[in-house]
Amino acid sequence: MKIIETVTYTPQPINRGYTDQILRVDLTSTAISTSNLSPDFKTKYTGGRGYALKLIWDETSENTHYDSPDNILVMASGPLGNEPRFPGSGKFIVGTISPLTDTFIDSNVGGHFGPLLKSAGFDALAVSGISQEDVVLIVDVDQGQIQIVEAPTFGDQIDNGALSYGETLLKRFNNGKLDEDVAAVSNGIGASNTRYGILNSLFYDSRRKRMRSKQAGRGGTGTVMRHKGLRAVIVRSGLHKVGRNNPADEKGVKRAGSSLKKVIAQVDPKQFRLRSWGTPVLVEYMDKYHILPVNNYQYGQHPDAKAIFADVFFDRYLSKKLPDGCYKGCNLACAKGAENITLRYGPRAGTKVGVDGPEYETAGAVTCMGIFDPGFIMEYNWYCDEYGLDTISMGVTASFLMECFQRGYLSKDEVGYELSWGDIECADRLLHETALGEGFGKICSRGVLRAKEWVAEHYSKKTGKPYTEVIGELGKFAMETKGLEFSMYITKESLAQQGGYGFALKGPQHDEAWLIFIDQVYNELPTFKMKAEALKWFPLIRTWFNAVGLCKLPWIDVRHPEAANTDNPAKNLPTLEYYVQYLNATTGSNKTLQDVLDDSERLHLLQKLINLRHGKGTRESDQIPLRAMGPVFFNEYEARVDYYDRWLMDQMADKTIPDDPESRHALICKLRQEAYDKLCDEVYEAKGYTQNAVPLLEMVENFDLLDQQARRLLAMFGIQRRELSN
Ligand code: SF4
């Protein structure tokens, strides 16, 4: 590989979870440097998402877009990553300005990359600038050097793929072999051609004896990386051994980890069975409760759904003997894999591949297109990973376009073929066209927000109907907020999850507030007040997981037996105690759960400020499509007419209910919109915001975030102290 730049370095040891160093790479100038972090930086911003937020806040501006040279791509683990004695500790965060939302996005991802980067001496990697040619960054502890090299080429088929390219590159780098001490992140051709390119985290699985991958899927982080001309980052270091995090209290770490592992071993087999079945287990629950997205979230249930229940994947594809997982020491081990899947479609038809997945979200993205074929789900999963595409954004955008076709906004004239629900060949064709930047795929590649604008403009020109009218009609079923596509839960019957999506700072991704289960299935948030409180509390604790480098699933998907005896079982506080113990044992702190929530609130506020700076922070940006609130069209109402009529009677109490179904349907939509507006009022108040969703100045000041930039920004929204206006 042709070397462009080399620097030598001595890795900083890890002390109490931190190395206190960031690796900085400017691809425009090819400068490589390291910077030391002050104790204050660590105290205030924790790690992971917090580090990414602070770097983006300080070093970018409102004029920074995803493709600006000053946009920064940050990859950062946290102080609690890198510890096999505690379950779920392999996560790292990828944060940047998104091509979909035009504001901060981050995505958390497993694999070995985050822990290896930490072992290599860095709490974070921050990449800025744009390279004129495709390059690869190599961090090599064995050689004590960091290099930028020209990205090698291996022939079109390999070069186009995120998985194939990353694996071939790693073998080339590591003398033809793969092992646990090397890992990489890479992107594929889908990142060149769409706004929702992902970043694949590649790691060697010694049990499966092959390279596996996990994905930083949401918001186009791979698109940013690819635009910077960075094809891959390789890191070689000694794989994280027990104790490598150099914690303050070894025994405390062991105790906290053993306690959590015990709960997982005891409870998971009786609850979700994630260790056996992985997240596809959710398909059955979601279908049962009308939450599984079908035909662009029109329906939440389908008679064919049983064809893709977890037992089908388990019997047909998944290995029964290999508890997978995405990092060492996680006994929940939900990240599944399958071998020898023969592709039926696309440019690689006939090839046998290993698939990492499927996750529930990927299955949901396929049912969203009306398809219930487990083989196609495996194939869709593999191709999206190989091209480097977000399975969610791809599926939701395709589904939106299918509904545009169904409702006459698109025809064969524009698309070139019929976009039909449940048609595998059509979905497959659109997938490949999108990834390769061909045909109608060029429209699908834009994501729902921009595809909606294209369809509206086109339809308006064709029919003479005013653009504003058309975009309003499309907006009712275009499943995006802030520019990000919804993840795979139908929220029509869960007001809490509507808020969970609407208020999520990055856009409608459930990792900020996954409340649908506790609200709709367990009915643990029966009152308006409880929903509003949950919408403040859950995003804070979830933010913390993304800052420290931990997976949330062992907490949220495995409920501690003692949780039932607490005031709020949904918070699973007995398990959170283990997390706080683990934090204190690692870093030597003496924090309480409230301290943890306060630390998170600072990060949450900082993300809010970035959103305000980029025009995505006010009440208007929190609005969700009517499809997320209720039955937009009559066919949706009709499909559950008894349920909706009962719901209406409950709401109207002794008031008169209209006789004709059309009026009842219209009234339901009106009431749902009003409930969401009221929820906004309550949640903003609970969070300490104005009714325009802008934080109060005192609050920003209390969290020590009131720098010059924040003052100016808040003043633009009329938030200032009297003396500041003088
Ligand atoms: S619970 Fe699943 S996603 Fe989380 S760390 Fe374990 S294997 Fe990975």
Side-chain angles (χ1 to χ4, degrees):
M1 292 186 256
K2 190 179 153 206
I3 296 165
I4 297 170
E5 183 66 59
T6 302
V7 298
T8 55
Y9 85 115
T10 307
Q12 195 81 354
I14 306 172
N15 183 28
R16 300 186 171 193
Y18 290 98
T19 67
D20 293 327
Q21 274 213 329
I22 294 190
L23 173 60
R24 316 282 311 224
V25 177
D26 180 346
L27 291 172
T28 306
S29 65
T30 69
I32 301 171
S33 59
T34 57
S35 56
N36 292 326
L37 291 172
S38 68
D40 183 53
F41 193 98
K42 177 167 61 183
T43 309
K44 282 173 71 177
Y45 304 105
T46 309
R49 179 187 286 176
Y51 281 16
L53 284 166
K54 178 62 176 163
L55 291 169
I56 298 267
W57 173 247
D58 282 350
E59 298 178 29
T60 67
S61 73
E62 67 272 28
N63 299 318
T64 306
H65 301 287
Y66 83 95
D67 52 357
S68 307
D70 68 331
N71 190 14
I72 312 173
L73 185 70
V74 182
M75 299 172 209
S77 178
L80 305 189
N82 200 20
E83 176 50 82
R85 286 176 296 184
F86 197 89
S89 71
K91 298 282 182 178
F92 68 103
I93 283 289
V94 186
T96 192
I97 298 291
S98 159
L100 286 169
T101 66
D102 251 323
T103 184
F104 180 83
I105 190 86
D106 70 348
S107 216
N108 81 67
V109 53
H112 297 174
F113 183 86
L116 284 180
L117 186 68
K118 174 85 78 176
S119 298
F122 300 107
D123 287 341
L125 162 66
V127 182
S128 57
I130 294 175
S131 171
Q132 291 308 308
E133 56 190 330
D134 277 0
V135 296
V136 172
L137 177 70
I138 300 170
V139 181
D140 187 346
V141 173
D142 287 359
Q143 302 296 322
Q145 63 187 18
I146 301 162
Q147 292 183 313
I148 299 172
V149 302
E150 218 173 64
T153 52
F154 305 107
D156 276 357
Q157 198 173 59
I158 292 174
D159 291 347
N160 283 348
L163 304 176
S164 311
Y165 187 81
E167 180 167 351
T168 311
L169 186 69
L170 270 173
K171 273 190 191 148
R172 158 86 69 99
F173 167 74
N174 207 34
N175 300 322
K177 63 182 173 57
L178 297 169
D179 62 49
E180 290 187 327
D181 290 346
V182 289
V185 291
S186 66
N187 50 63
I189 194 167
S192 290
N193 292 323
T194 74
R195 285 179 180 261
Y196 40 86
I198 59 169
L199 196 141
N200 271 284
S201 165
L202 299 164
F203 63 103
Y204 182 69
D205 182 333
S206 56
R207 285 181 295 205
R208 286 189 182 269
K209 305 218 174 318
R210 70 166 168 91
M211 194 50 85
R212 295 190 58 206
S213 71
K214 294 297 293 176
Q215 291 71 37
R218 303 303 332 258
T221 55
T223 300
V224 173
M225 182 174 167
R226 185 93 172 185
H227 190 82
K228 289 189 172 301
L230 186 58
R231 273 307 316 263
V233 182
I234 295 175
V235 60
R236 173 158 60 196
S237 180
L239 185 71
H240 35 276
K241 304 286 184 307
V242 161
R244 264 309 250 289
N245 238 357
N246 200 10
D249 170 9
E250 286 281 359
K251 284 190 184 146
V253 168
K254 202 169 160 212
R255 213 167 28 244
S258 306
S259 303
L260 182 54
K261 285 187 184 188
K262 216 161 113 189
V263 172
I264 291 171
Q266 184 191 339
V267 173
D268 178 59
K270 294 181 218 145
Q271 279 181 3
F272 279 144
R273 299 191 67 194
L274 285 168
R275 183 176 167 87
S276 302
W277 289 0
T279 56
V281 75
L282 293 176
V283 174
E284 188 168 350
Y285 287 103
M286 298 307 152
D287 185 64
K288 181 172 173 189
Y289 292 97
H290 294 263
I291 300 170
L292 181 71
V294 177
N295 296 6
N296 195 32
Y297 305 78
Q298 291 186 67
Y299 313 111
Q301 204 176 55
H302 197 280
D304 294 343
K306 54 179 140 350
I308 58 161
F309 284 175
D311 57 333
V312 177
F313 290 104
F314 185 74
D315 291 341
R316 217 176 279 182
Y317 304 114
L318 306 183
S319 165
K320 282 129 200 124
K321 293 201 185 101
L322 293 171
D324 286 313
C326 69
Y327 187 63
K328 290 191 175 298
C330 180
N331 64 328
L332 192 53
C334 74
K336 298 295 163 200
E339 309 303 324
N340 297 320
I341 305 295
T342 305
L343 301 171
R344 289 180 290 167
Y345 302 95
R348 303 281 284 272
T351 312
K352 276 196 165 93
V353 296
V355 176
D356 289 311
E359 298 291 349
Y360 164 75
E361 300 292 330
T362 301
V366 174
T367 63
C368 209
M369 297 184 275
I371 297 168
F372 298 88
D373 180 314
F376 184 68
I377 290 173
M378 298 304 278
E379 177 148 354
Y380 176 86
N381 189 137
W382 186 83
Y383 269 119
C384 282
D385 290 351
E386 172 69 353
Y387 286 137
L389 293 177
D390 176 15
T391 56
I392 299 175
S393 287
M394 174 68 220
V396 177
T397 311
S399 307
F400 167 69
L401 293 168
M402 286 175 180
E403 187 162 353
C404 287
F405 201 96
Q406 173 197 343
R407 301 196 183 280
Y409 293 101
L410 284 173
S411 68
K412 243 172 131 175
D413 291 346
E414 294 91 26
V415 182
Y417 48 97
E418 300 215 351
L419 286 179
S420 314
W421 302 118
D423 181 340
I424 291 181
E425 285 187 16
C426 144
D428 185 70
R429 180 172 176 178
L430 190 54
L431 165 66
H432 299 297
E433 284 184 350
T434 302
L436 299 170
E438 294 168 355
F440 193 68
K442 287 184 188 146
I443 304 306
C444 191
S445 71
R446 301 174 183 198
V448 168
L449 172 67
R450 291 164 182 86
K452 173 179 73 176
E453 289 164 355
W454 184 91
V455 174
E457 206 176 305
H458 208 82
Y459 186 76
S460 171
K461 268 192 205 137
K462 194 162 123 184
T463 60
K465 202 168 183 180
Y467 175 85
T468 45
E469 220 173 281
V470 184
I471 199 108
E473 290 165 6
L474 296 176
K476 291 178 187 168
F477 61 91
M479 297 304 285
E480 61 82 22
T481 290
K482 300 183 179 77
L484 187 71
E485 290 71 30
F486 275 60
S487 67
M488 309 318 307
Y489 302 94
I490 289 198
T491 57
K492 293 175 197 185
E493 309 315 314
S494 168
L495 184 59
Q497 188 59 50
Q498 290 168 30
Y501 276 147
F503 307 130
L505 294 171
K506 70 166 76 166
Q509 165 67 6
H510 54 281
D511 81 332
E512 198 167 307
W514 191 68
L515 301 178
I516 194 131
F517 226 78
I518 60 174
D519 187 36
Q520 189 174 333
V521 178
Y522 290 165
N523 196 23
E524 289 175 328
L525 304 172
T527 67
F528 214 82
K529 206 172 166 47
M530 288 169 91
K531 293 183 205 304
E533 198 272 332
L535 283 161
K536 177 175 163 69
W537 191 88
F538 280 90
L540 295 185
I541 192 67
R542 283 174 163 267
T543 294
W544 181 77
F545 279 85
N546 284 334
V548 292
L550 289 177
C551 176
K552 303 170 199 77
L553 269 59
W555 158 63
I556 198 65
D557 284 343
V558 184
R559 194 171 285 186
H560 196 295
E562 291 300 317
N565 303 323
T566 62
D567 286 349
N568 198 330
K571 290 183 178 173
N572 201 12
L573 295 174
T575 290
L576 280 181
E577 280 306 312
Y578 302 146
Y579 283 88
V580 178
Q581 284 165 19
Y582 174 41
L583 171 73
N584 288 332
T586 301
T587 63
S589 60
N590 192 21
K591 295 198 175 190
T592 62
L593 180 59
Q594 188 54 50
D595 296 330
V596 161
L597 293 168
D598 290 345
D599 289 345
S600 288
E601 193 156 5
R602 176 180 299 107
L603 307 185
H604 202 67
L605 259 183
L606 184 56
Q607 191 169 352
K608 180 72 167 172
L609 291 175
I610 295 175
N611 274 3
L612 285 168
R613 186 178 78 177
H614 288 262
K616 293 288 172 81
T618 60
R619 187 178 184 121
E620 190 188 350
S621 297
D622 291 346
Q623 298 310 301
I624 55 176
L626 193 54
R627 168 69 48 79
M629 298 180 214
V632 179
F633 296 108
F634 196 70
N635 61 308
E636 293 161 67
Y637 164 72
E638 247 184 336
R640 299 191 73 192
V641 65
D642 291 344
Y643 167 83
Y644 282 123
D645 283 351
R646 259 197 327 272
W647 181 87
L648 191 58
M649 278 196 276
D650 284 350
Q651 298 298 308
M652 298 298 282
D654 47 2
K655 291 193 206 115
T656 318
I657 291 167
D659 284 339
D660 70 297
E662 280 80 9
S663 302
R664 288 204 295 274
H665 171 228
L667 184 56
I668 289 168
C669 291
K670 181 171 166 281
L671 292 175
R672 295 289 175 98
Q673 180 70 65
E674 285 171 2
Y676 187 75
D677 289 344
K678 192 174 158 215
L679 186 72
C680 291
D681 296 346
E682 294 260 346
V683 172
Y684 296 151
E685 197 180 328
K687 288 187 180 218
Y689 297 170
T690 68
Q691 285 301 303
N692 193 26
V694 181
L696 298 174
L697 186 135
E698 289 73 17
M699 200 181 169
V700 178
E701 191 170 35
N702 286 346
F703 284 99
D704 205 9
L705 291 172
L706 197 60
D707 58 15
Q708 282 303 322
Q709 190 182 181
R711 273 178 208 276
R712 268 200 315 274
L713 187 64
L714 291 176
M716 280 168 54
F717 291 95
I719 307 288
Q720 51 195 326
R721 274 203 218 95
R722 202 167 297 134
E723 67 266 27
L724 290 176
S725 59
N726 292 332

